[in-house]
Amino acid sequence: MLASSSFHGGPCSQFPHSNRHNNKQHSISCFSLTKPPPSVCHGFVFSKRINSHRFKIRALNRDTLSEKEATPFFPNRHSVKIPVGDRFITVETGQIGRQASGSVIVRDGETIIYTSVCMSDVPSEPSDFFPMSVNYQERFSAAGRTSGGFFKREGRTKDHEVLICRLIDRPLRPTMLKGFYHETQILSWVLSYDGVHPPDSLAVTAAGIAVALSEVPSTNTIAGVRIGLIGDKFIVNPTTKEMEDSKLDLLLAGSESGILMIEGYCDFLPEEKLVQAIEVGQEAVRAICKEVDNLAKKYGKPKMLDTIKLPPPELYKHVEEIVGDELVEVLQLKSKVPRRKALSLLEDKVLSILTEEGYVSKSETVGAEITPDMLEDEDEEEEFVVDGEVDEGDVHIKPVYKKPVPMFYSEVDVKLVFKSVSSKYLRRRIVEGGKRSDGRTSEEIRIIDSECGLLPRAHGSALFTRGETQSLAVVTLGDKQMAQRIDNLVGVEDVKRFYLQYSFPPSCVGEVGRLGAPSRREIGHGTLAERALEPVLPSEEEFPYTIRVESTITESNGSSSMASVCGGCLALQDAGVPLKSPIAGIAMGLVVDTEEFGGDGTPLILSDITGSEDASGDMDFKVAGNDDGVTAFQMDIKVAGISLSTMKQALLQAKEGRKRILAEMLKCSPPPSKTLSKHAPLILVMKVKPERVNLIIGSGGKKVKSIIEETGVESIDTQDNGIVKITSRDWASLEKTKAIISNLTMVPVVGDVYRNCKITSIVPYGAFVEIVPGREGLCHISELSPDWLSKPDDAFKVGDQVDVKLIEINEKGQLRLSRKALLPAPDQSTDPPSENQSTTSVGKDSGTPQKYTDKSKLRRSSTMPRVDADKSSEYTFTKRYVGSRKNEPKPTSSKPDAVASSDSDSGSELVNGEAQI
């Protein structure tokens, strides 16, 4: 650490200069003229030592300092440990983010979440939607890595980060007090991730603690936990390793009073088991909230209750007086669009009266009517009464007309009250009359219609309609290249072979809006439908396709995500995907306070809710599964919490609703084809030895690219375990590619003979011969012919077909072939040539003894012109040493088929002994 005078807040003494006369250097020391507090000096003091040429830094010993001097730099720093499951989480506040309204650091193991809460100084315009935004980000540096993309800075929010933002937002929003309009922002970052403790449930708890410590007025403190099921035991906040064996992934958030949000996925878990898991999670949440409340009482900031602005109480009564009777009639309209337009007209009427004309309440008394006998006679003489005297005669009263004063209200307040009154009337109709807006009972399902095979070129398609909610689902099948790759925090490549993408255009509700990137709602609904269908998909070994489902909502009036589940299931069956069982989804609603409308106080649960029942009700509980159990679920509520018994009743009622929907899906007309579409790609799966996969890929992928170009297949996917997937549009190219790969990965045996093999290329040291499609070997020049060759292209050309024999496989797996081994050896005379003999001609096919040239003419004879093979001309035979050449592989003669001879005169190794020219 470098010592600097900037550490001190006050002036610093001058450094003494060195003595130039005696050339002695004095040590330099720096100290403040007035002793600064240790907090300013950062806990260090400087000591002076003679004959020292550097600073010596000594740390302050806080044990020897007074209590005032030992005050820490962060006086408001506090830390507590909260038990969660079988371990503790640590909550720290007062050190980081001190200017925020509330900020905390929450640790679980080595996973650290930093969350801050801030508010705007000026309130926003009042609305029925609390102005709160949540942003969650996973820093790659938390795991000691950077992004794998070109831009190393964290950019657009990823889909799984959006899902965690929703997990934080949904339980917090119902706890916010109405009338608080200061824009609130919650920021959450993952600063450290150990790969063991997941950050999502920890982020929900951190946000709840930060809000509890801040000035934001809220009704309850929230916390979140994850529940896993390993065997028959429920685990609170399981590790990532434990979740690999879990049958349940439940994330629950709530307060001490009740459950606020649940979301999870399971493998056909019965409803009774799911209720037990929720009960375990609720107990864990209560324990956390109790500790957080104690922390907030000691170190939390006072809540901004004085900023809450609610509409005038009498305004609710005025709205009911103006349009109460008309609201009852409008809410009986079954169709969504006419009902929405009628409500809009009523709202305009209320706004016109209460904001422009002014409203006079019916309860106000109007001034007395003026009658003629109450008027004064102007001709009558006036009587003057002296001050202080009373006229004992007739008392004349001059009537004054009293005009009622109209009341004016703000437009925002009127809109808020009108919406609240409309919701109240809708709830009253459901509880009192036992009938909903469309005439159904509380457990009745809307009319269902489904159709498959709408799109002829799609691999699978279905149109699912339930009441006024409609989903067009389309399935596309492909290879691994179509899979969704995810750049996650751990750094391990995550590839999704199945994904569902949900879109909600504004036209589905008859409105005009902007189109852009997927909204958080679209990402959340798509993920819920995706997780609901995932458990019934076949394994990759059974069905090697990448599966994409697109659900476009073409009409919406409640539960479009569950319509995506039903439509997606039918589309998958239409695409020929062998599902384990059909899946259906249903959305449940709730009216909690039934006593207000003449009920017995028991919560009223509604099956298959519409959009208005979702907006006016107290719960939106989506459940997907089959007859045996649940695969996915999601619950949001608008009240302070619901009890466990209410949730159990909702789950059991949802099960009955799912059975009815599944029965209606079986009546689909036309039904799903359940066969692979002729437009879908064909995928062939092969198994080769893992060590031979590189033969398919080739150097830099050249071999696999050449196979694709040659055969016309779409892709060839190789895996390290020896699995090879070939994707093609037709069987011919698929079979051709299969043959090439089979030949490439076959295990040849030395001694095998291959007939009519094609010469693919010729090099100075031999020829490459394709023994089977896609598999080549080298036939050295010495193995091409029993006769001597000057160059391989003297006797062969590319495209010639030859018979070869495998004589060697080197350590690299390269094949060495021989044509000569399959040819009869030429006859040679054993008589030694005479010294004065020159060359003697022999016929090409004659059996005359061969003559040898004089040794002095060896080099010259090797340059003799070649004679055409079709003429019965003469050949000259010479002995020539063929040595190894540069960049030419040395042939080995370890195999018995490799022919080699030695020259007794020269002692040099000969290849082919005698070569023909």
Side-chain angles (χ1 to χ4, degrees), residues 42 95 234 254 372 414 421 554 604 636 687 742 750 752 765 780:
H42 297 270
Q95 181 182 12
F234 293 105
V414 174
V421 171
T554 53
L604 180 61
D636 299 316
K687 176 67 175 178
S742 299
V750 174
D752 289 347
Y765 49 85
H780 195 268

Side-chain angles (χ1 to χ4, degrees), residues 259-567:
I259 304 167
L260 293 169
M261 183 273 297
I262 63 171
E263 181 167 332
Y265 319 100
C266 49
D267 192 4
F268 303 104
L269 201 67
E271 282 76 6
E272 295 77 10
K273 206 73 174 178
L274 185 57
V275 172
Q276 295 177 14
I278 295 173
E279 186 176 6
V280 172
Q282 187 179 15
E283 292 299 325
V285 165
R286 284 175 179 170
I288 298 174
C289 292
K290 185 177 180 180
E291 296 292 335
V292 175
D293 286 338
N294 295 332
L295 180 67
K297 289 178 182 178
K298 294 181 181 179
Y299 310 114
K301 296 180 180 180
K303 301 298 182 179
M304 298 174 59
L305 298 176
D306 56 339
T307 61
I308 295 178
K309 295 181 180 180
L310 295 173
E314 69 275 7
L315 185 57
Y316 293 87
K317 182 179 179 182
H318 297 341
V319 173
E320 291 183 15
E321 290 177 352
I322 297 173
V323 293
D325 296 336
E326 296 176 82
L327 268 177
V328 174
E329 298 178 0
V330 168
L331 292 176
Q332 295 178 8
L333 297 176
K334 295 184 178 181
S335 298
K336 176 183 177 179
V337 175
R339 183 171 62 250
R340 184 186 65 191
K341 291 182 178 180
L343 286 174
S344 180
L345 292 175
L346 289 182
E347 185 181 29
D348 292 341
K349 177 181 178 181
V350 173
L351 285 172
S352 176
I353 294 175
L354 294 176
T355 62
E356 298 177 6
E357 302 174 5
Y359 178 69
V360 178
S361 177
K362 296 179 181 179
S363 60
E364 294 185 15
T365 58
V366 182
E369 184 179 359
I370 303 176
T371 57
D373 57 346
M374 297 178 63
L375 296 176
E376 295 180 335
D377 189 2
E378 295 180 357
D379 298 335
E380 191 174 342
E381 297 181 356
E382 290 189 17
E383 296 182 3
F384 295 94
V385 180
V386 182
D387 291 343
E389 297 182 1
V390 177
D391 184 6
E392 296 179 356
D394 295 335
V395 178
H396 300 278
I397 301 175
K398 185 177 181 180
V400 179
Y401 182 75
K402 182 180 179 182
K403 295 182 179 180
V405 180
M407 302 296 295
F408 294 89
Y409 299 92
S410 67
E411 181 178 346
V412 174
D413 287 343
V414 174
K415 287 184 176 181
L416 290 175
V417 172
F418 178 80
K419 183 176 181 180
S420 177
V421 171
S422 301
S423 175
K424 176 182 176 181
Y425 273 62
L426 178 64
R427 294 158 65 94
R428 176 182 295 171
R429 170 179 167 79
I430 296 172
V431 176
E432 290 181 353
K435 294 289 185 179
R436 295 146 78 173
S437 296
D438 51 8
R440 291 182 293 146
T441 62
S442 60
E443 298 184 9
E444 195 172 349
I445 308 297
R446 290 174 289 177
I447 299 176
I448 294 175
D449 180 77
S450 54
E451 179 182 353
C452 287
L454 280 80
L455 310 178
R457 298 292 297 186
H459 301 162
S461 60
L463 182 67
F464 179 83
T465 307
R466 179 170 55 199
E468 294 180 311
T469 300
Q470 190 177 76
S471 168
L472 175 62
V474 181
V475 173
T476 306
L477 304 177
D479 56 3
K480 188 177 180 181
Q481 294 181 354
M482 201 182 80
Q484 177 69 54
R485 288 171 172 80
I486 300 174
D487 193 6
N488 55 22
L489 188 62
V490 183
V492 180
E493 183 181 6
D494 191 4
V495 178
K496 292 173 60 176
R497 61 177 290 263
F498 169 69
Y499 49 96
L500 188 148
Q501 295 173 336
Y502 166 101
S503 60
F504 192 89
S507 60
C508 68
V509 289
E511 297 177 354
V512 177
R514 296 182 60 184
L515 294 176
S519 64
R520 294 189 173 187
R521 181 181 184 275
E522 289 175 314
I523 294 174
H525 282 35
T527 303
L528 177 63
E530 175 186 307
R531 298 287 183 87
L533 293 171
E534 197 169 13
V536 299
L537 293 176
S539 63
E540 189 173 0
E541 290 74 19
E542 298 172 339
F543 196 73
Y545 287 90
T546 296
I547 307 170
R548 180 196 182 200
V549 181
E550 298 170 88
S551 176
T552 303
I553 305 303
T554 53
E555 189 177 354
S556 177
N557 186 16
S559 187
S560 59
S561 62
M562 295 297 98
S564 300
V565 173
C566 302

Side-chain angles (χ1 to χ4, degrees), residues 547-834:
I547 307 170
R548 180 196 182 200
V549 181
E550 298 170 88
S551 176
T552 303
I553 305 303
T554 53
E555 189 177 354
S556 177
N557 186 16
S559 187
S560 59
S561 62
M562 295 297 98
S564 300
V565 173
C566 302
C569 177
L570 293 173
L572 288 170
Q573 291 178 326
D574 189 56
V577 181
L579 301 181
K580 299 176 184 177
S581 66
I583 295 292
I586 186 171
M588 311 297 293
L590 177 69
V591 178
V592 176
D593 191 7
T594 58
E595 291 182 350
E596 180 184 1
F597 311 111
D600 57 358
T602 304
L604 180 61
I605 299 175
L606 308 176
S607 296
D608 186 23
I609 58 175
T610 60
S612 59
E613 293 167 345
D614 182 9
S616 302
D618 299 322
M619 180 183 73
D620 180 13
F621 190 11
K622 303 179 179 70
V623 187
N626 60 3
D627 294 338
D628 299 328
V630 177
T631 58
F633 50 90
Q634 183 184 93
M635 185 198 74
D636 299 316
I637 65 172
K638 302 180 181 67
V639 293
I642 62 173
S643 63
L644 198 63
S645 59
T646 302
M647 182 166 291
K648 182 178 180 180
Q649 183 183 353
L651 282 170
L652 295 177
Q653 189 168 325
K655 183 177 182 179
E656 297 299 322
R658 286 201 317 273
K659 291 181 179 180
R660 299 175 193 171
I661 296 172
L662 287 170
E664 294 296 326
M665 290 170 60
L666 294 176
K667 302 176 184 178
C668 179
S669 178
S673 65
K674 297 186 179 181
T675 57
L676 201 66
S677 171
K678 63 180 181 180
H679 302 294
L682 303 173
I683 296 182
L684 176 65
V685 181
M686 299 177 60
K687 176 67 175 178
V688 301
K689 290 188 175 182
E691 61 271 13
R692 310 194 72 81
V693 171
N694 291 332
L695 297 176
I696 304 174
I697 301 174
S699 177
K702 293 181 180 179
K703 189 62 182 178
V704 70
K705 292 178 182 177
S706 65
I707 297 175
I708 293 175
E709 292 177 359
E710 179 182 353
T711 60
V713 296
E714 291 188 353
S715 65
I716 300 175
D717 176 41
T718 59
Q719 301 177 12
D720 294 337
N721 58 359
I723 298 295
V724 181
K725 295 181 182 179
I726 310 168
T727 306
S728 177
R729 290 288 177 179
D730 58 274
W731 279 106
S733 59
L734 204 65
E735 292 293 338
K736 185 177 180 180
T737 307
K738 176 184 175 182
I740 294 175
I741 294 178
S742 299
N743 294 329
L744 277 174
T745 56
M746 72 173 184
V747 181
V749 180
V750 174
D752 289 347
V753 177
Y754 303 93
R755 304 290 181 181
N756 299 323
C757 300
K758 180 182 177 182
I759 297 178
T760 58
S761 62
I762 295 178
V763 292
Y765 49 85
F768 285 94
V769 182
E770 187 180 43
I771 57 175
V772 292
R775 191 72 183 274
E776 295 180 348
L778 174 63
C779 187
H780 195 268
I781 188 174
S782 61
E783 300 293 340
L784 282 173
S785 173
D787 301 326
W788 184 86
L789 290 179
S790 173
K791 294 183 296 182
D793 52 3
D794 288 343
F796 302 96
K797 63 180 181 295
V798 175
D800 288 349
Q801 293 184 346
V802 294
D803 298 339
V804 291
K805 180 179 181 180
L806 180 60
I807 59 176
E808 183 186 3
I809 303 175
N810 64 11
E811 63 277 2
K812 296 181 179 180
Q814 297 171 337
L815 307 181
R816 185 182 175 207
L817 308 174
S818 175
R819 176 177 174 270
K820 182 182 69 174
L822 300 178
L823 300 178
D827 296 333
Q828 296 182 359
S829 175
T830 58
D831 296 329
S834 58

